[in-house]
Each structure stands twice: as structure tokens, then as C-alpha cells.
């Protein structure tokens, strides 16, 4: 029912069988050592870091990591906390629905 998806967002999508949620966390940090604080916060929330990409820029680092094992609200709160604390200059998250078969390397 279309209204269930609009009204309940993640809750309705979480009931879909055969898919899992993953989240791409995109950050800009001034210092690479900030990654330690970021990873501690992710792990303390029960998240797993599935993939990590770091790109060095002028005066900052762009970090993209794929998270599993946490729900969308936790990742949203994490992005806010990273910005509020000054650890990240920029923080955004993309929420992904991945086929469980694809996520485990199947076809």
C-alpha cells in the first residue's frame, strides 16, 4: 500500500524480505586522525564498516564508508553528532536497499 511507505518510511521498507539496508556515509574531515573517532562512534552503535574509501584533497580528506548492521535513524544521528562535534566539516548519508543475494556475492 503506497501510504504505508509514505507514512512509515524505513519501517515499511524494513519488512521487505530478500533485501537489507546499507548506508553510505560521506564525510569531509580536516585531519585523517579523525577517522579513529568516526570508526569508534560507528562501532559503538553496533555498525559494521563494510567498505572504506579515502580521498585526499586540498586541506581535507573525503571519506566514504559503507555501513551495515545499523538502522537509518542511527546513521542520521551519527551524521548530526559528527557535525555538531566538529569532527566532520560535512556529513551526509545515502540509504541503500541491497538484495541479500547480491550482498553475499550471489547472482
Amino acid at each position: 500500500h503506497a501510504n504505508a511507505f509514505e507514512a512509515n518510511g524505513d519501517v515499511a521498507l524494513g519488512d521487505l524480505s530478500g533485501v537489507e539496508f546499507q548506508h553510505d556515509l560521506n564525510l569531509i574531515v580536516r585531519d585523517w586522525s579523525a577517522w579513529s573517532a568516526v570508526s569508534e562512534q560507528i562501532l559503538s552503535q553496533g555498525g559494521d564498516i563494510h567498505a572504506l574509501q579515502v580521498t585526499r584533497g586540498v586541506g581535507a580528506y573525503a571519506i566514504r564508508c559503507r555501513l551495515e548492521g545499523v538502522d537509518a535513524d542511527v546513521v542520521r544521528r551519527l551524521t548530526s553528532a559528527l557535525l555538531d562535534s566538529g569532527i566532520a566539516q560535512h556529513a551526509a548519508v545515502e540509504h541503500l536497499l541491497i538484495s541479500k543475494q547480491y550482498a553475499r556475492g550471489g547472482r
Side-chain angles (χ1 to χ4, degrees), residues 2-18:
N3 289 338
F5 288 99
E6 292 171 12
N8 297 319
D10 297 334
V11 175
L13 293 175
D15 293 336
L16 295 174
S17 63

Side-chain angles (χ1 to χ4, degrees), residues 1 10 16 18 25 36 38 41-42 45 47 49 54 56 58 60 67-70 76 79 82 84 99-100 102 105-106:
H1 187 269
D10 297 334
L16 295 174
L25 181 60
S36 177
V38 172
Q41 288 193 33
I42 292 168
Q45 296 296 317
I49 301 164
V54 179
R56 186 174 183 186
V58 177
L67 308 179
E68 298 176 332
V70 290
R76 286 185 199 109
T79 58
L82 292 170
D84 292 346
S99 161
K100 287 183 182 178
Y102 178 76

Side-chain angles (χ1 to χ4, degrees), residues 25-27 74-84 88 91-93:
L25 181 60
N26 300 292
L27 305 170
V74 169
V75 180
R76 286 185 199 109
R77 285 192 302 271
L78 176 62
T79 58
S80 293
L82 292 170
L83 289 168
D84 292 346
V93 64

Side-chain angles (χ1 to χ4, degrees), residues 13-83:
L13 293 175
D15 293 336
L16 295 174
S17 63
V19 297
E20 66 183 48
F21 281 97
Q22 294 182 5
H23 314 279
D24 280 354
L25 181 60
N26 300 292
L27 305 170
I28 302 292
V29 297
R30 286 186 183 93
D31 184 352
W32 169 243
S33 66
W35 173 249
S36 177
V38 172
S39 63
E40 286 176 17
Q41 288 193 33
I42 292 168
L43 297 174
S44 74
Q45 296 296 317
D48 292 319
I49 301 164
H50 180 70
L52 175 65
Q53 177 184 357
V54 179
T55 307
R56 186 174 183 186
V58 177
Y61 292 86
I63 298 173
R64 182 180 186 106
C65 58
R66 174 132 330 148
L67 308 179
E68 298 176 332
V70 290
D71 66 32
D73 288 335
V74 169
V75 180
R76 286 185 199 109
R77 285 192 302 271
L78 176 62
T79 58
S80 293
L82 292 170
L83 289 168

